[in-house]
Amino acid sequence: MAGGVFAIDDNGGGFSGRITASVVITCIVAASGGLIFGYDIGISGGVTTMKPFLKRFFPSVLRKMQAADRNVYCIFDSEVLTSFTSSLYIAGLAASLVAGRLTRSLGRKAIMILGGCTFFVGAALNGAAVNIAMLIIGRILLGFGVGFTNQATPVYLSEMAPSKWRGAFNTGFQFMIGIGVVAANGLNYGSARLEWGWRLSLGLAVVPALIMTLGSLLISDTPSSLVERGKLEEAERALRRARGVDTDIGDELNTLIKSSEAIKAANEEPFKTIFERQYRPHLVMSIAIPFFQQLTGINVIAFYAPILFQTVGFGSNSALMASLILCTVNLFSILVSTGIVDRYGRRILFMQGGTQMFICQVAVACVMGSQIGSSGTGTMPKSYAILVLVLMCLYAAGFGWSWGPLSWLIPSEIFPLKIRPTGQSISVAVGFAVTFILTQTFLAILCHFKFGIFLFYAGWILVMTLFVVLFLPETKGIPLESMNTIWENHWYWKRFVKGGSATVLPKQMD
């Protein structure tokens, strides 16, 4: 790859702040791992509203849709239907835990390739499905693929990017997720009128799988991973391409080598090490951040957006169009985060986005409660249905520049090298576990909580925003090798981390 450099200097305390053509291309290719996750998020909800798909696999749901006395909150309340969506996430949970050890021994690149291949097979199986068993098996294989790539890709991006611009590069993963969601919703809208449209939607998941798999074959592994596996010459070449051929990489390479040697000398088991007292803040964040991200309600809303919009009065095709609008707004909001996360920091975006999402969720609950009521037999005027769409777009925008990309960024950058793959595995596994529970129960909760489900998520958003205010330190501009200083200087976490509060933080970007 080319080793050209864009002249952007480093004032952030890292080894090099230059953005090279090589690191840009490499990170774009790696971030494409988000395409498969985004495509799956977007495709499943739309497919489950297509009548030919429901007629073939879930006829009981179709009968409830056509009933005259239907309760709009409970039309899609089917355990088998939710199993179709949620089975991916229980498989992803298992894969992400295994991926931590594999990523450490085989490298980040190899796991991304493995994830792409597994996802490809699952997509092909889903597109050719003739019964529910094939659908579920295909979803499980998709889950393995997503579990591998979601574990390896954010770590890859954080390790490749210059510290000053790590946030912007890492948000590329969420941006690719957003592109996948938009592409899937657009395809759902276009194929909904076809009798076999659901096969097209499910089967074309092979395309993002091919893109990320072939792309991953063309990039090098991260210098950290190569050093960790004793491939020092390859590590030096990879680091020189990433930082620029005219950049002095000696200090950064020596730091990586010393860190790797210290890890090997300690001969510690990472899954045991991460539970030590000094890593308590790291462990808490690796659990709390993905846990809270899912309790914003974004994924279940993304999965079931067409169902939600049908609930508030949109027709089938209009609901798919509304879902496309929603995910497009989310996609462009991620670009906002890319542009400002390394200038204003992580905390302010978490807090602003949380506040915006809280207000929107409460407002949606009020509109649905006043128009549809608790019985679920009311009808919502078109003007109010459009208002719900506007509020959901504002909610999606708030998520897109805060809890969306930052929930991938924070866990990938806070861990020291020796437990970084393990920490990311735990973080991804927690996200999958909570997503599985929420997707498996969302339609039943919607049936019983009715419009109150949005107040449920609003309450959690309030809690998580307060958590960020009190317990999340700012990581903007801190080199990965110096990240421990943020815990040593934090009012609460310093009691757990060795060194107390005497350590001076590296100079952050202005």
Side-chain angles (χ1 to χ4, degrees):
M1 291 181 182
V5 185
F6 300 106
I8 299 177
D9 296 325
D10 179 28
N11 295 316
F15 295 103
S16 173
R18 289 180 171 183
I19 299 180
T20 66
S22 178
V23 79
V24 170
I25 294 169
T26 299
C27 287
I28 289 174
V29 171
S32 68
L35 286 174
I36 63 173
F37 190 33
Y39 188 91
D40 182 79
I41 290 173
I43 213 71
S44 56
V47 166
T48 53
T49 65
M50 296 181 184
K51 290 183 179 179
F53 177 80
L54 293 174
K55 181 179 179 180
R56 186 179 187 93
F57 298 106
F58 307 100
S60 62
V61 175
L62 185 60
R63 286 194 296 271
K64 283 196 286 185
M65 286 179 64
Q66 297 170 339
D69 59 344
R70 62 182 185 173
N71 181 329
V72 296
Y73 291 117
C74 302
I75 291 173
F76 297 93
D77 183 16
S78 164
E79 296 229 351
V80 181
L81 181 61
T82 51
S83 295
F84 164 72
T85 301
S86 63
S87 56
L88 181 148
Y89 299 97
I90 197 68
L93 187 158
S96 61
L97 291 174
V98 174
R101 191 173 296 276
L102 293 177
T103 301
R104 191 178 183 189
S105 59
L106 301 178
R108 289 51 162 155
K109 171 182 173 178
I111 301 309
M112 289 191 289
I113 294 171
L114 176 61
C117 292
T118 309
F119 192 93
F120 179 91
V121 176
L125 193 60
N126 267 181
V130 294
N131 52 49
I132 292 178
M134 286 184 69
L135 279 179
I136 299 299
I137 292 172
R139 293 287 292 176
I140 290 172
L141 290 173
L142 294 176
F144 285 137
V146 170
F148 288 134
T149 55
N150 283 11
Q151 193 279 337
T153 303
V155 172
Y156 185 101
L157 293 169
S158 285
E159 290 182 345
M160 287 298 293
S163 60
K164 181 179 178 181
W165 305 101
R166 187 173 59 246
F169 276 95
N170 202 285
T171 57
F173 183 67
Q174 182 69 26
F175 184 71
M176 288 293 184
I177 291 177
I179 290 177
V181 173
V182 171
N185 277 275
L187 183 59
N188 279 339
Y189 182 73
S191 63
R193 298 169 181 81
L194 302 174
E195 185 69 23
W196 44 270
W198 63 271
R199 288 195 185 276
L200 185 66
S201 292
L202 293 177
L204 282 181
V206 300
V207 175
L210 278 175
I211 291 173
M212 75 143 294
T213 304
L214 295 177
S216 297
L217 289 170
L218 301 177
I219 60 177
S220 65
D221 213 333
T222 69
S224 296
S225 178
L226 292 168
V227 168
E228 191 176 26
R229 290 178 288 135
K231 300 181 179 182
L232 300 186
E233 291 185 3
E234 291 183 42
E236 183 177 0
R237 288 196 296 269
L239 189 58
R240 191 168 297 283
R241 283 196 300 269
R243 302 296 182 249
V245 294
D246 60 341
T247 302
D248 182 8
I249 62 169
D251 289 343
E252 184 171 3
L253 183 61
N254 288 334
T255 298
L256 293 175
I257 293 172
K258 289 178 181 178
S259 297
S260 179
E261 289 175 346
I263 293 168
K264 291 177 181 177
N267 194 29
E268 297 174 325
E269 166 56 47
F271 269 103
K272 180 180 179 181
T273 302
I274 200 171
F275 286 95
E276 293 177 2
R277 179 179 173 84
Q278 61 180 312
Y279 300 119
R280 188 71 49 78
H282 309 69
L283 181 62
V284 169
M285 292 301 164
S286 70
I287 295 172
I289 295 296
F291 176 80
F292 284 142
Q293 185 202 40
Q294 298 309 316
L295 283 168
T296 61
I298 188 66
N299 273 352
V300 290
I301 288 173
F303 298 143
Y304 300 121
I307 293 173
L308 172 65
F309 288 126
Q310 283 197 32
T311 299
V312 300
F314 287 95
S316 180
N317 289 330
S318 297
L320 291 173
M321 175 56 73
S323 301
L324 181 59
I325 293 171
L326 181 67
C327 63
T328 302
V329 169
N330 176 256
L331 175 63
F332 283 102
S333 68
I334 297 169
L335 291 177
V336 176
S337 181
T338 302
I340 65 178
V341 66
D342 289 311
R343 178 167 296 278
Y344 298 106
R346 286 61 158 149
R347 279 169 51 86
I348 188 66
L349 289 179
F350 268 129
M351 291 184 284
Q352 190 283 328
T355 302
Q356 183 171 323
M357 289 189 292
F358 173 80
I359 293 171
C360 291
Q361 290 279 42
V362 172
V364 169
C366 292
V367 173
M368 292 187 68
S370 65
Q371 297 302 310
I372 298 179
S374 298
S375 65
T377 57
T379 57
M380 183 177 290
K382 184 177 180 180
S383 59
Y384 281 94
I386 293 174
L387 176 59
V388 169
L389 173 60
V390 171
L391 289 170
M392 293 308 300
C393 285
L394 289 173
Y395 163 85
F399 178 86
W401 60 58
S402 63
W403 282 89
L406 298 183
S407 295
W408 296 106
L409 171 60
I410 295 297
S412 72
E413 68 181 359
I414 61 174
F415 292 98
L417 178 61
K418 65 180 178 181
I419 57 171
R420 192 173 298 151
T422 302
Q424 183 68 11
S425 289
I426 292 174
S427 180
V428 173
V430 170
F432 277 130
V434 180
T435 305
F436 170 75
I437 294 170
L438 292 178
T439 52
Q440 186 64 33
T441 59
F442 174 76
L443 295 179
I445 293 175
L446 178 63
C447 182
H448 291 88
F449 280 28
K450 302 175 175 60
F451 63 86
I453 193 170
F454 297 99
L455 296 178
F456 170 79
Y457 288 125
W460 278 109
I461 292 171
L462 179 61
V463 171
M464 67 183 69
T465 303
L466 292 175
F467 175 85
V468 167
V469 172
L470 294 174
F471 298 111
L472 181 66
E474 183 56 67
T475 58
K476 179 191 71 171
I478 307 296
L480 293 180
E481 299 77 15
S482 305
M483 195 62 71
N484 203 53
T485 56
I486 67 171
W487 311 111
E488 294 175 353
N489 289 274
H490 189 269
W491 71 273
Y492 181 76
W493 298 120
K494 65 184 180 182
R495 71 189 67 185
F496 297 98
V497 182
K498 294 178 182 178
S501 58
T503 306
V504 178
L505 282 168
K507 182 181 178 182
Q508 293 191 10
M509 183 181 67
D510 294 330

